[in-house]
Amino acid sequence: MQGFQLEIFPEGPVLIQRAIEIWQARSAAAIRERGRFTVVLAGGSTPKKLYAALAQTPGIPWQQTWLFWGDERYVPPDHPESNYRMVRETLLEQIGIPAAQVFPMPTHAGDPLRDAAEYEATLRQIFGAECPSLDLVWLGVGEDGHTASLFPDTAALQVQHRWVTVGQKGQEPRLTLTYPVLNQAAQVVFLVTGANKAPIVKEALTTEAHLPCQRINPRGRLLWLLDAAAAAQLPLPCVPLLS
Ligand code: 6PG
């Protein structure tokens, strides 16, 4: 695994405040350089607190922000499992971001492959033929080492010539960005919290286990942003004495 930054915080508001600082710094730089900020949102439960805190943070330049999803469960957008619904409820309903800058992954074709192709076509319409270097990608990690919907021992891990593909969680299809897009990012942040993630964090950061999350090696910066519980099994020098 390439070099990465590691930041560990006590759980709760301090960690989320750091995540917001990272969002704000990357956003300011991107808007200064290119007039817009492209960010990929993680799904699952960990980022909910970040999105809810962002919704309450003044001064976020939503008018210049473009939101994308890293993956989506193959369910309707109002389904309890939908990552779009999670972001709509925690963030979108509270902010005034132009709807034309919000790009959820479609799940309406009844065929995940067709919806994956539709999302890729949308990305190509926005960014052109070259694989985009998205400004900031948020990712989580599952207890099996998956990230986005790139699950261990699935075909999605091998996809190199597509930007969006169909992931597989057991029998459950999902849409996911692929390694080519994720690894082209200017910055990737793994936001990982909770004691249940401590074993996989240790395996991901201290072994050559070939986990899906270990194949995230972005062109730009890679940061593992952890709370103390998720970092608890890392070797001591990594875990500062947290007051
Ligand atoms: C999803 C995510 C997935 C998630 C991890 C961690 O759709 O579930 O994209 O990759 O980040 O499974 O999920 P938790 O944050 O719920 O632990």
Side-chain angles (χ1 to χ4, degrees), residues 42-47 71-73 83 139-142 146-149 174 196-197:
S45 56
T46 302
D71 73 323
E72 186 54 275
R73 292 84 183 275
N83 284 333
L139 290 173
V141 175
H146 80 263
T147 190
S149 280
R174 296 192 170 185
N196 64 313
K197 300 290 176 72

Side-chain angles (χ1 to χ4, degrees), residues 6 11 21 55 59 61 65 83 85 100 113 123 129 141 148 159 172 178 180 184 191 195 209 217 230 239:
L6 172 64
E11 40 271 42
E21 281 170 13
T65 300
N83 284 333
R85 174 173 162 175
L113 272 172
L123 296 180
V141 175
V159 174
E172 179 198 329
T178 58
Q184 194 61 15
L191 178 63
N217 296 306
V239 185

